[in-house]
Amino acid sequence: MRIATTIFLTDETITPVRLARELEERGFAGLYLPEHTHIPVERSTPFPAGGDLPREYGRILDPFVALAQAAAVTDRLALATGITLIAQHDPIDLAKRVATLDHLSGGRFTFGIGFGWNKEEAADHGVGWTTRRELGWDRLALMRALWAPEPTLYEGEFASVRPSEAHPKPANGAPRVLVGGGAGPKLFARIAEQSDGWLPIGGRGLGQSIPVLRKAWESAGRPPEALHVVPYAVRPDPGKLAHYADLGVDEVVLQLPPGDEREVLRALDEFARYV
């Protein structure tokens, strides 16, 4: 099982360069970084985990800039977003950033996407809350048109792009795309149609959810071995990881603390037994 990590990298934590080097030296498989462009101080949206919103949410580094630094000082470490709030981005600009990072890293990038929980943040981007998922899927389809080997027209519900020269291309034609979100038939149908798999946060209930996803996947004509289920932001223990392995999971993303260098390296030492 590949053991990757995620962390809220901020202006107060360990740096991307230092963390990436330590991860690769210790044999970890990858680094996934989350995204929030900003956190409006006045908001009515509750924090999904309950309680006060942790300080680090308003201080997150831009994941693409941080991952570019990580790519530059490593050779094998996989790089990923976990997650990009895709509805909050211009898709033409985002397609370029994704393709450039994947190209320069030699195909090491995984594009983790999701649709967000903070209504006020989305509103500041001009995103309608009830249509954000459809908008996000539309933007992913437009991005795939720009990644296509030949100039490709895309006309969607929310945006369009003319047949265009758009280089560089992602190293393998398109990056692996994983989608975050709660289990359900609508999400699973979309995952099967437009992506490479699922990023379930916390990894709870997978024994019930994975068979449902696999059924949707195979009903869409996708080969079973092509499905990726990657439990994300997991607090590990041996029993939990063994359970994931029994379910056919071959990659898990462990949650690191948003701490300084000493705290993060101590956590890596604790997690090293799982690598």
Side-chain angles (χ1 to χ4, degrees):
M1 181 181 287
R2 298 189 304 278
I3 303 298
T5 60
T6 186
I7 183 174
F8 285 86
L9 284 180
T10 77
D11 56 329
E12 299 176 330
T13 66
I14 189 172
T15 67
V17 166
R18 183 79 167 112
L19 176 59
R21 285 174 169 156
E22 290 289 338
L23 288 170
E24 185 159 273
E25 288 176 5
R26 295 161 186 253
F28 286 89
L31 173 62
Y32 287 67
L33 295 182
E35 175 186 50
H36 282 286
T37 54
H38 66 299
I39 299 292
V41 174
E42 295 183 4
R43 61 183 178 83
S44 60
T45 310
F47 180 42
D52 294 333
L53 185 68
R55 171 183 174 84
E56 59 267 19
Y57 275 74
R59 308 188 74 93
I60 300 173
L61 302 182
D62 178 276
F64 288 93
V65 175
L67 289 170
Q69 283 199 330
V73 297
T74 56
D75 297 310
R76 302 177 305 279
L77 188 71
L79 311 161
T81 51
I83 57 171
T84 298
L85 297 167
I86 189 170
Q88 296 180 185
H89 289 270
D90 177 285
I92 298 173
D93 177 68
L94 186 57
K96 173 70 78 173
R97 274 188 284 158
V98 167
T100 299
L101 180 55
D102 195 59
H103 169 75
L104 292 177
S105 67
R108 288 188 278 153
F109 182 64
T110 289
F111 189 33
I113 66 170
F115 310 104
W117 58 267
N118 190 323
K119 293 181 181 179
E120 290 76 21
E121 178 184 1
D124 283 350
H125 285 279
V127 174
W129 190 248
T130 59
T131 58
R132 73 192 189 285
R133 291 183 177 85
E134 291 303 316
L135 174 61
W137 291 116
D138 187 72
R139 290 185 169 173
L140 178 61
L142 187 152
M143 293 172 68
R144 288 194 184 279
L146 291 170
W147 296 333
E150 300 296 333
T152 301
L153 170 69
Y154 179 75
E155 294 181 325
E157 180 181 356
F158 296 93
S160 62
V161 68
R162 297 172 177 85
S164 303
E165 294 292 343
H167 295 269
K169 302 297 183 185
N172 299 304
R176 181 176 66 157
V177 177
L178 301 177
V179 183
K186 289 184 179 179
L187 179 69
F188 288 170
R190 283 288 203 172
I191 286 174
E193 178 185 353
Q194 287 187 246
S195 78
D196 300 296
W198 184 32
L199 270 177
I201 296 176
R204 293 176 181 166
L206 293 185
Q208 295 74 41
S209 299
I210 288 179
V212 179
L213 175 56
R214 285 183 176 144
K215 183 177 179 179
W217 186 264
E218 294 176 21
S219 294
R222 307 288 298 275
E225 67 276 8
L227 174 61
H228 298 260
V229 177
V230 182
Y232 182 75
V234 170
R235 310 287 182 177
D237 64 62
K240 186 183 294 185
L241 297 185
H243 174 61
Y244 294 157
D246 289 343
L247 294 172
V249 169
D250 60 11
E251 180 182 0
V252 176
V253 182
L254 306 186
Q255 180 70 60
L256 291 169
D260 61 17
E261 186 170 305
R262 179 179 298 180
E263 183 181 1
V264 172
L265 296 185
R266 186 165 57 246
L268 289 182
D269 288 338
E270 294 174 2
F271 290 170
R273 60 183 171 136
Y274 301 116
V275 174

